[in-house]
Amino acid sequence: MRAILCLVLLIGLMQPAWAVKQVNWQDLIDPVAADFDDPFAALGLAELRSLGTVLRLRKLLADPGLENNSRADAADRLDREEAKLAASGVDTDGLLSRRQEIGRKRAEAVMAGNPDLDGRRISIAGYVIPVLGAENASSTGYLVPERGMCSHTPAPDPNQMIRYTLATDWTADSLYEPVELVGTLSIRPTRQEITLIDGQVEMIAVFDMQVTAVVPRAQKEPGTAERSFLHFKPPQTR
């Protein structure tokens, strides 16, 4: 009897393969790829600017054709910037020696999707950017975490953007309409150039989603600019 009760309890706790998992945008990030020591993350904007200035001045001083007056000015400014960073406890040489390594790891991290969600049925909330096709229909598009991304503000990281295909007759009423999408998520990176309010934008998405249901979320009445999303260029997905 005890064995039977344990089996019933285990079955009750098991999640069916077809069950929908509710996720947030942070869940899409590959935790392994994102887990690395990034010494630049602890720096403030002023310190990052000083590091950039030091790098630029060092390259300038390495130019044998630099005039003496300009060289003296550059060397004087370099000394001041390096002293300022040292006073803040910044290891200038150590950080600059790792900039290519950290840049590579950051690039790998933003292009990595969480493998645990590959092929899973999920639901996720965000804002849609419809893609208008040849028939002026919008059965495909992009879901982004925040309103205005890719037009009024920069595009999100690739693993924070989902390219979707609708298997429903739902259509968006406006650009950046808030919705919750339900469907099967896959890790399938794509690139596509589209036309938005501010001109041509390259959309790089790590995820593809076959959407079976769309749940509208409450929103304020969109402005004129948000209603007037433009036709997209012919798809250049690759």
Side-chain angles (χ1 to χ4, degrees), residues 7 27-28 53 74 78 94 107 118 124 127 139 160 177 180 202:
L7 180 60
D27 295 330
L28 301 183
T53 300
L78 177 61
D118 191 19
I124 185 168
Y127 299 86
S139 61
Q160 295 290 280
E177 183 172 347
E180 184 169 346
E202 184 177 40

Side-chain angles (χ1 to χ4, degrees), residues 175-206:
L175 181 61
Y176 299 119
E177 183 172 347
V179 299
E180 184 169 346
L181 299 185
V182 180
T184 301
L185 188 73
S186 301
I187 297 177
R188 190 171 72 87
T190 58
R191 291 173 181 257
Q192 182 180 13
E193 190 176 63
I194 65 174
T195 303
L196 276 174
I197 297 170
D198 296 337
Q200 299 299 116
V201 180
E202 184 177 40
M203 310 290 278
I204 306 175
V206 166

